[in-house]
Amino acid sequence: MKKLAILGSTGSIGTSTLSICESFPDRYLPVALAAGSNIDVAFAQCERWRPRVISLGTEVLADALKTRLKSAGITGIEVVYGTPGSVYVATLPEVDFVVSAIVGVAGLEATYAAVCAGKTIGLANKECLVAAGELILAAAKKHNVALLPIDSEHNAVHQAMRGGSPNEVKQVWLTASGGPFRNTPAADFVHITPAQALKHPTWVMGQRITIDSATMMNKGFEVIEACRLFHLPPDRVRVTIHPQSTVHSLVEFVDGSILAQISVTDMRLPILYALAYPERVSVEGKVPLTFDLAKLSQLDFFEPDLSRFPCLRLAYEAAATGGDACIALNAADEIAVAAFLANEIPFLGIPSTIEKVLSLTPAHRPASIKDVLAADSAARERAREVVGAFSRPTAGAAL
Ligand code: NAD
Ligand code: MG
């Protein structure tokens, strides 16, 4: 029985992980949960799973949950909060496996602490690797910890990499659906609304990653994530537009062979792969993950269009620079996406905000998580200033 801590238990990846626990009760038991502010779902998860400990975003939320648990007669669940709370959840001695699925840099300290505590990690939170990949990988090496990717493309690459040794890999190909604006003419990008950008063609996910998919920044983050996880320079991590989202990624070997991973578009598959690794577990009669090959009629692959999707170009540039550029890339994107969702900036304001913040970011490499968080705060501050300029009359000219 593997005992799990789930960071981000109320989110899309968190609930899919709990669904796997539901399907394999003899294999996976969630014993510690961490979430942000969704107290109704957190309460329901406490009722169902009776974890040893749960962490919420703030003290006020934690107190409210304690009161609800008490009046429901549920005892024995420790309720903690904030970053120390999620670090506590991630490092609980009885936990074997930590699913890192808090969105954004909010999940960084807990993920890093889990690595330093020697836990096996199922990594969904790509922003952690973008902002602090070098530090996380160094800690993973030092503590002999496996970082198993849950992000579907990296999970696919991890699977395909089993077909050869690292020095036999020529390059990896990350597939991208192209998002809802794959065929939208450049002239129409100025009119894109949050409601349109939130409609992903093939995946149902949290809001941030859905907007990141629409700008293709998600793929940009994934390029950096792949560079770090698989020790490759940016020019050996390629992106290909594959609208069917059937091939989740490919590894090209030096002898010309390309190994692709094909499966349904359901995150329970990469989650189960990471949880079961190095085994493979049969889903027969448990989870409907069987892929119907007979229905596969067409597989398309295209070059990405960097002029309509400048976020992808910005990510490659940040990947080449490394250090604080990657931290600023993520921080500026997080602020810009929130501003777009709040109708404060247009869709094209997302890349322009990020580009401006990157141009203001000094070349520097963080030596500690504290350094990462400081660079993250500085970049957020710069991004807020840039975003604020949009609502002032001269904004367009300045940007
Ligand atoms: P989501 O928005 O659905 O869930 C985010 C979770 O993080 C929620 O449980 C929320 O309560 C928690 N959270 C937010 N702020 C917090 C804080 N300050 N402290 C503690 N918890 C906090 O997001 P998601 O789609 O599940 O994505 C989670 C991560 O997984 C992201 O990094 C995303 O890029 C990555 N990912 C998601 C998918 C997917 O299919 N959803 C695929 C690949 C990678
Ligand atoms: Mg992905």
Side-chain angles (χ1 to χ4, degrees):
M1 175 74 81
K2 268 185 193 161
K3 292 186 176 162
L4 313 187
I6 305 175
L7 308 175
S9 66
T10 57
S12 168
I13 295 290
T15 50
S16 293
T17 306
L18 287 168
S19 150
I20 289 291
C21 296
E22 201 77 71
S23 305
F24 297 93
D26 49 335
R27 284 179 174 268
Y28 308 115
L29 180 69
V31 296
L33 306 175
S37 56
N38 193 336
I39 190 163
D40 292 331
V41 175
F43 175 75
Q45 292 181 345
C46 286
E47 250 186 328
R48 166 64 187 92
W49 294 103
R50 306 287 167 129
R52 255 258 293 113
V53 46
I54 183 162
S55 177
L56 287 183
T58 65
E59 186 171 13
V60 174
L61 290 162
D63 286 344
L65 180 64
K66 275 185 208 162
T67 309
R68 270 178 81 168
L69 290 172
K70 200 171 170 200
S71 49
I74 299 172
T75 55
I77 301 178
E78 189 179 358
V79 183
V80 294
Y81 62 90
T83 300
S86 46
V87 167
Y88 180 66
V89 163
T91 54
L92 207 67
E94 67 208 71
V95 163
D96 311 299
F97 191 108
V98 175
V99 174
S100 168
I102 288 176
V103 59
V105 162
L108 173 58
E109 283 165 277
T111 305
Y112 187 74
V115 172
C116 294
K119 311 293 189 193
T120 304
I121 313 286
L123 194 69
N125 180 335
K126 64 192 83 182
E127 300 90 347
C128 277
L129 274 193
V130 171
E134 285 152 14
L135 296 169
I136 292 176
L137 281 156
K141 195 171 174 198
K142 180 173 169 196
H143 299 281
N144 197 21
V145 156
L147 290 175
L148 300 163
I150 286 178
D151 205 351
S152 57
E153 296 77 3
H154 307 75
N155 188 272
V157 170
H158 191 275
Q159 299 198 37
M161 285 278 190
R162 291 165 88 172
S165 70
N167 60 7
E168 291 163 349
V169 172
K170 182 178 173 202
Q171 56 191 355
V172 308
W173 290 90
L174 301 180
T175 54
S177 71
F181 309 122
R182 181 170 56 86
N183 293 322
T184 304
D188 294 347
F189 272 54
V190 283
H191 306 300
I192 291 171
T193 63
Q196 292 169 326
L198 283 169
K199 279 198 196 104
H200 195 277
T202 48
W203 294 97
V204 179
M205 309 176 286
Q207 284 205 338
R208 162 115 191 253
I209 184 171
T210 304
I211 301 298
D212 285 343
S213 300
T215 61
M216 289 201 70
M217 180 55 96
N218 180 51
K219 211 49 56 182
F221 289 154
E222 291 183 353
V223 167
I224 300 175
E225 186 184 7
C227 290
R228 281 159 178 185
L229 282 172
F230 305 112
H231 309 284
L232 293 168
D235 63 348
R236 287 171 64 203
V237 178
R238 311 283 300 274
V239 171
T240 178
I241 305 294
H242 169 51
Q244 291 86 4
S245 295
T246 295
V247 173
H248 293 290
S249 280
L250 316 93
V251 176
E252 184 174 343
F253 290 92
V254 286
D255 62 357
S257 276
I258 298 181
L259 297 190
Q261 188 262 345
I262 291 181
S263 57
V264 291
T265 50
D266 186 324
M267 289 306 290
R268 287 177 297 180
L269 191 146
I271 292 168
L272 179 60
Y273 172 86
L275 288 173
Y277 182 82
E279 278 179 78
R280 285 191 187 266
V281 171
S282 168
V283 290
E284 196 75 42
K286 289 186 184 281
V287 200
L289 294 177
T290 309
F291 185 86
D292 188 354
L293 262 185
K295 286 197 181 137
L296 185 67
S297 56
Q298 198 176 335
L299 293 176
D300 297 312
F301 298 94
F302 310 105
E303 275 280 309
D305 177 354
L306 297 191
S307 64
R308 281 185 308 138
F309 297 98
C311 284
L312 189 53
R313 168 181 58 81
L314 293 171
Y316 268 106
E317 287 168 11
T321 311
D324 284 14
C326 293
I327 301 172
L329 183 82
N330 172 62
D333 177 72
E334 195 165 316
I335 298 295
V337 167
F340 169 67
L341 287 172
N343 285 307
E344 290 165 11
I345 64 170
F347 188 72
L348 290 173
I350 300 174
S352 67
T353 298
I354 299 164
E355 185 145 30
K356 180 86 184 154
V357 172
L358 284 172
S359 73
L360 297 170
T361 302
H364 174 258
R365 276 183 193 275
S368 65
I369 294 295
K370 205 169 146 231
D371 278 1
V372 172
L373 295 173
D376 176 73
S377 298
R380 272 164 209 275
E381 203 41 58
R382 289 188 191 107
R384 280 192 202 97
E385 278 165 25
V386 178
V387 160
F390 272 91
S391 53
R392 293 197 286 274
T394 53
L399 296 163

